[in-house]
Amino acid sequence: MTTNNLTAPELRAAVWKKSSYSGGSESQCVEVADLAAAPFAGLRGIRDSKNPEGPALLIPKGSFANFVTAVKAGGFEV
């Protein structure tokens, strides 16, 4: 299994929580999960709460604050 295209079945045991960084509107809901089980230990999962069966982005826990800062600065505008 590779970790570049993970979907809900690979992360079924994760406990997802709505991020405090989510916007107030229903269209901006982000969920995060701290992953402890191998092979994902030390990673944090991020997904769209409106699409829980869709893909999840995995980043190292230590990089999460930098990721949030970059998002707030518009570094990932589509």
Side-chain angles (χ1 to χ4, degrees), residues 6 10-12 16 19 23 26 32 36 41-42 44 48-49 75 77:
L6 293 171
E10 288 95 358
L11 298 172
R12 194 161 309 276
W16 295 92
S19 171
E26 293 295 316
V32 296
R44 181 167 280 179
D48 181 349
S49 65
E77 292 295 322

Side-chain angles (χ1 to χ4, degrees), residues 25-48:
S25 76
E26 293 295 316
S27 65
Q28 297 179 358
C29 297
V30 175
E31 292 179 323
V32 296
D34 287 327
L35 307 173
F40 310 117
L43 298 176
R44 181 167 280 179
I46 305 167
R47 71 179 183 185
D48 181 349

Side-chain angles (χ1 to χ4, degrees), residues 4-75:
N4 5 346
N5 189 22
L6 293 171
T7 57
E10 288 95 358
L11 298 172
R12 194 161 309 276
V15 177
W16 295 92
K17 297 180 282 184
K18 183 174 178 183
S19 171
S20 61
Y21 295 103
S22 288
S25 76
E26 293 295 316
S27 65
Q28 297 179 358
C29 297
V30 175
E31 292 179 323
V32 296
D34 287 327
L35 307 173
F40 310 117
L43 298 176
R44 181 167 280 179
I46 305 167
R47 71 179 183 185
D48 181 349
S49 65
K50 295 179 305 306
N51 186 15
E53 296 299 318
L57 173 66
L58 301 184
I59 62 173
K61 286 182 187 179
S63 299
F64 187 72
N66 291 337
F67 173 76
V68 170
T69 299
V71 169
K72 286 182 174 183

